[in-house]
Amino acid sequence: MNRLGKLLLALILIVVITGCSKFSSMPLPEMVATLETGETVPVEISTYSWGAKELYGGPWEAMEDKDPAIIPDGSTITIQFDSTPDSILIREHFSKYKFKDITESNQFHVPDSKGTYIYGVMATWKKGSAIYALKIQVE
C-alpha cells in the first residue's frame, strides 16, 4: 500500500473510532414510574441498544429475584422519561417468553386481582431503544 493509501486508511480509522466513542458515551434515557399518589415504583433496565453499546435480557429475568413494590388495586402507573421517546409499548410478562401487550401510552392500570406482576416498558428513540422492567404486588 502506498503512502497516500496508508494515510487515508489511518484517517478513516480515526474518524470511525472518534465517532463511535462520542456516540456510545451518550447516556441512556432515565425512566421513572409513579403512582397517582406521587409514590415512585422501582425500575430496572433489562435490555438496550444505545449507541455502540448493547445489553440483552428481558423484564422477567431482570425482576425475577427482585422484591416487588406493593401497590393498591385500582392504581394507575404513569411512565415518564427524561427524553421523550418516539414510541412506547408496555407489556405484562407472565414468564420469560410469555407476555401480552397492554398499551402504547405512558399510563396503565394495575390489575384489580391480588398477585405479583412484571411489566416491560419498551421505548424507542432515534438514537436507540431500551426496555425497562418493574415488578409490583397488588394488595
Side-chain angles (χ1 to χ4, degrees), residues 59-107:
W60 187 265
E61 296 90 344
M63 302 308 285
E64 190 172 25
D65 296 329
K66 304 282 183 183
D67 291 330
I70 308 301
I71 308 290
D73 63 351
S75 296
T76 299
I77 295 178
T78 301
I79 304 299
Q80 295 176 313
F81 294 94
D82 61 357
S83 171
T84 305
D86 297 323
S87 67
I88 186 171
L89 175 63
I90 300 173
R91 292 177 166 162
E92 181 180 349
H93 289 257
F94 305 104
S95 69
K96 187 174 180 178
Y97 302 107
K98 187 176 177 187
F99 57 84
K100 76 173 179 178
D101 294 352
I102 301 295
T103 184
E104 292 183 18
S105 77
N106 71 326
Q107 277 191 336

Side-chain angles (χ1 to χ4, degrees), residues 42-57:
V43 174
E44 297 277 335
I45 185 78
S46 68
T47 304
Y48 63 84
S49 176
W50 194 258
K53 296 181 181 180
E54 294 181 340
L55 171 71
Y56 293 104

